[in-house]
């Protein structure tokens, strides 16, 4: 009987060890695949804005007396505006790549504090309005709603949603940014009147590298990481991100965060799940 027990234990230990090895291997392979995808996407996505900046700068350099040929000072200003636009696009891409790889390597340290989501939406709106000087953004703040969260990370999530609302709408865009309290949760919603998407697409938008229409997304400087970053940030906060959309009628992305109950010790610490 003792021998049978020992044999059983050995078999069980071998199984556990095998399972551990297999899952480590699987994780390694998944990370290697992600790394390959990321390198391919980064090189592809960086090339386009860099090429246009080079072209614009070359044209300015070829100019006579500091002005492009056959053009006026207005054109110089236009060129500089385009360069600044491409530069902003590059910055957004690089920010997303960095946040993504930090989240992937599990090194993103979130700094959880008690914060009012109104501050988050104010800061996100300020960043967005500084980048884009059109007046499409309407902000409606709810009453004070406290959450335990990392302000910078939450602002990043909201800015990503605002950028998408802008990217996937035409020039008659209207974007609404609101915060509210819903039972035990605090919500932040970004609604647009843009191109929207099909129910099939809404199921995948939070997946890494997923793009409904690659041509549209890439022409606007998208790389399919923005929403996966939003989802990862929300998961880390014990919250959630959801979308409701209709093709041609626009989309509403909603972030859900657990309401802060007033005692940091009682509130379960947000978990880091990536
Ligand atoms: P991308 O960098 O391509 O914008 P995201 O992860 O931010 O990547 O979004 C994934 C895809 O979801 C986009 O490529 C786009 O097809 C779709 N999408 C995201 N936001 C919106 C929106 N507000 N309206 C319509 N489609 C959207």
């Amino acid at each position: 009987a003792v021998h049978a027990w020992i044999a059983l234990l050995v078999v069980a230990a071998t199984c556990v060890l095998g399972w551990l090895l297999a899952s480590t291997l699987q994780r390694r392979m998944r990370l290697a695949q992600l790394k390959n995808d990321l390198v391919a996407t980064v090189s592809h996505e960086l090339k386009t804005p860099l090429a246009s900046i080079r072209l614009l700068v070359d044209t300015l350099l070829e100019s006579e007396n500091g002005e492009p040929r056959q053009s006026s000072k207005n054109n110089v200003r236009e060129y500089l505006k385009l360069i600044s636009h491409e530069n902003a696009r590059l910055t957004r891409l690089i920010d997303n790549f960095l946040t993504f790889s930090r989240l992937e390597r599990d090194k993103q340290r979130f700094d959880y504090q008690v914060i009012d989501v109104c501050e988050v939406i104010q800061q996100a709106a300020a960043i967005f309005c500084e980048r884009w000087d059109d007046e499409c953004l309407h902000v409606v703040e709810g009453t004070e709603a406290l959450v335990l969260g990392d302000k910078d990370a939450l602002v990043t999530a909201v800015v990503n949603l605002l950028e998408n609302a802008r990217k996937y709408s035409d020039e008659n865009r209207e974007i609404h940014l609101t915060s509210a309290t819903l039972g035990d949760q605090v919500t932040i919603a970004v609604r647009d009147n843009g191109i929207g998407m099909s129910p099939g697409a809404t199921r995948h938008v939070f997946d890494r590298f997923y793009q409904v229409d690659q041509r549209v997304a890439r022409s606007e400087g998208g790389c399919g990481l923005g929403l996966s970053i939003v989802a990862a940030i929300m998961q880390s906060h014990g919250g959630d991100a959801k979308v409701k959309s209709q093709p041609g009628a626009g989309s509403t992305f909603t972030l859900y965060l657990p309401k802060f109950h007033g005692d940091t010790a009682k509130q379960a610490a947000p978990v880091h799940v990536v």
Side-chain angles (χ1 to χ4, degrees):
V2 175
H3 282 124
W5 274 110
I6 291 174
L8 206 72
L9 271 175
V10 170
V11 170
T14 318
C15 284
V16 171
L17 220 79
W19 177 79
L20 276 176
L21 263 172
S23 58
T24 313
L25 214 71
Q26 221 174 15
R27 185 173 153 77
R28 288 233 166 130
M29 276 164 67
R30 195 179 64 90
L31 282 178
Q33 180 60 43
L34 261 176
K35 204 169 146 193
N36 287 344
D37 287 349
L38 196 64
V39 170
T41 317
V42 171
S43 4
H44 182 273
E45 293 307 313
L46 296 187
K47 265 188 194 157
T48 322
L50 281 175
S52 13
I53 290 177
R54 189 170 169 184
L55 196 76
L56 291 160
V57 171
D58 282 351
T59 317
L60 281 175
L61 284 175
E62 276 170 21
S63 66
E64 291 154 13
N65 306 323
E67 283 181 13
R69 283 191 200 114
Q70 306 163 341
S71 61
S72 64
K73 272 191 179 148
N74 279 347
N75 286 31
V76 176
R77 212 182 145 64
E78 273 313 304
Y79 276 56
L80 291 176
K81 259 169 102 177
L82 285 172
I83 292 173
S84 159
H85 180 91
E86 290 299 328
N87 184 51
R89 183 171 148 184
L90 270 177
T91 311
R92 276 201 313 281
L93 273 173
I94 291 167
D95 279 351
N96 266 346
F97 288 139
L98 289 179
T99 315
F100 174 77
S101 69
R102 261 187 238 127
L103 283 166
E104 269 308 312
R105 278 181 292 136
D106 212 21
K107 284 197 180 140
Q108 174 97 3
R109 298 255 177 275
F110 287 117
D111 178 19
Y112 294 107
Q113 311 262 349
V114 179
I115 44 170
D116 181 356
V117 286
C118 295
E119 287 170 36
V120 173
I121 74 168
Q122 274 166 15
Q123 200 166 316
I127 292 173
F128 181 81
C129 293
E130 200 179 307
R131 258 179 216 169
W132 309 107
D133 48 10
D134 46 18
E135 291 177 353
C136 60
L137 183 61
H138 307 277
V139 184
V140 181
E141 282 168 39
T143 47
E144 184 190 72
L146 300 181
V147 297
L148 197 57
D150 180 309
K151 194 167 167 191
D152 289 342
L154 294 177
V155 170
T156 301
V158 178
V159 170
N160 274 354
L161 296 183
L162 291 174
E163 288 288 340
N164 279 353
R166 186 180 189 284
K167 274 197 296 194
Y168 303 110
S169 308
D170 63 21
E171 59 277 11
N172 297 318
R173 62 179 73 84
E174 294 283 334
I175 304 172
H176 294 264
L177 171 61
T178 51
S179 68
T181 312
L182 190 77
D184 230 16
Q185 289 182 309
V186 176
T187 61
I188 301 175
V190 175
R191 173 160 59 90
D192 66 59
N193 58 346
I195 60 174
M197 63 188 104
S198 67
T202 56
R203 278 196 280 280
H204 297 287
V205 277
F206 293 102
D207 297 349
R208 293 179 190 113
F209 301 113
Y210 178 82
Q211 296 182 308
V212 179
D213 181 340
Q214 271 203 354
R215 264 174 323 146
V216 178
R218 296 212 154 152
S219 69
E220 291 298 330
C223 58
L225 286 179
L227 288 178
S228 67
I229 290 173
V230 172
I233 291 173
M234 294 320 290
Q235 262 188 305
S236 308
H237 281 72
D240 204 358
K242 290 190 176 151
V243 59
K244 279 197 177 138
S245 187
Q246 242 189 319
S251 313
T252 303
F253 283 84
T254 309
L255 306 181
Y256 297 85
L257 287 161
K259 202 195 269 177
F260 177 65
H261 296 300
D263 185 350
T264 11
K266 275 191 199 151
Q267 177 126 6
V271 276
H272 191 148
V273 194
V274 177

